[in-house]
Amino acid sequence: MTDKANTQHGLALVGVRGTGKSTVGRIIARGLCLPFVDADAELEARAGKSIRAIFEDEGEGAFRDLEEQVLADLTGGPPAVLATGGGAVLRDSNRRRLRQFGLIIWLTARPEALAARIQSNPRGVADRPALTAHGTLAEISAILEARTPIYQTIADATVDTDGRTPAEVADAVLEACQSAERRSGGSHTT
Ligand code: S3P
């Protein structure tokens, strides 16, 4: 369990693409009467172009720099429910800021479920760059293998999204937050 003293009492959702961070985050924010912020949407608004276009024009490194700036601003802002991009946990600086921001919940799913969700969302396919040359299912498996240890280390709690509706996942996240708070003896908004 991460030391949550002096946090700003926010709630950050982490996990790979297709776990429903934005959809679920919106539902949770409504339930908690907190603002919802989506780091990828904020980044695209600032850049004036899609993430896919940023990757194509400037490369992944430039995207990660922008992502770090956006996360620094959002985690330094008022308490909120924050949906992060799947790779937001890759930089140590981002992980530090997320920990200070509040509780971190890792959303998981089987690779097959993730691939089906990603492929059924045409906007997600059009606006997001491929992260490997492997194709959707193999890419998801490779990304999961590489990032699972990072998500495991940073998360206060894990919520499986397989076979659950977004509303059911949101309820499970809130329960996980309450248990995490009880374990840490903290007093978070969530
Ligand atoms: C990325 C995930 C994307 C977006 C970018 C990079 C990643 O966010 O930030 O394409 O490295 O996994 P979503 O998880 O919201 O799709």
Side-chain angles (χ1 to χ4, degrees):
M1 171 63 50
T2 330
D3 177 8
K4 293 293 173 183
N6 303 320
T7 65
Q8 297 189 52
H9 303 201
L11 166 57
L13 298 176
V14 301
V16 296
R17 181 180 304 174
T19 45
K21 297 170 298 242
S22 302
T23 307
V24 169
R26 262 187 213 97
I27 299 172
I28 296 170
R30 225 176 307 145
L32 293 173
C33 297
L34 280 175
F36 169 71
V37 280
D38 184 320
D40 281 342
E42 173 65 22
L43 188 152
E44 288 184 323
R46 286 190 194 186
K49 52 183 164 181
S50 71
I51 291 174
R52 176 187 281 270
I54 300 170
F55 267 67
E56 282 168 5
D57 298 348
E58 301 160 55
E60 181 171 353
F63 166 79
R64 296 293 171 204
D65 290 343
L66 274 174
E67 181 175 55
E68 184 172 351
Q69 283 166 26
V70 167
L71 284 170
D73 292 344
L74 295 180
T75 55
V81 177
L82 168 64
T84 62
V89 297
L90 292 174
R91 288 196 176 172
D92 184 50
S93 48
N94 294 342
R95 295 198 292 273
R96 233 184 9 254
R97 288 184 177 117
L98 288 170
R99 283 196 195 98
Q100 284 166 357
F101 179 65
L103 282 174
I104 302 173
I105 306 297
W106 175 28
L107 300 186
T108 64
R110 283 176 305 111
E112 294 75 13
L114 294 169
R117 280 187 209 150
I118 291 169
Q119 276 157 352
S120 70
N121 177 359
R123 189 165 177 273
V125 173
D127 289 351
R128 293 289 190 269
L131 297 171
T132 68
H134 303 325
T136 307
L137 187 54
E139 170 174 308
I140 290 167
S141 302
I143 294 276
L144 272 176
E145 194 180 326
R147 293 186 185 163
T148 290
I150 308 178
Y151 292 127
Q152 266 166 347
T153 307
I154 195 177
D156 292 294
T158 305
V159 170
D160 186 8
T161 66
D162 266 344
R164 283 172 156 163
T165 64
E168 287 168 345
V169 175
D171 283 345
V173 168
L174 290 174
E175 270 175 38
C177 287
Q178 282 159 3
S179 309
E181 275 180 1
R182 274 197 297 274
R183 284 198 305 273
S184 70
S187 58
H188 289 270
T189 316
T190 51

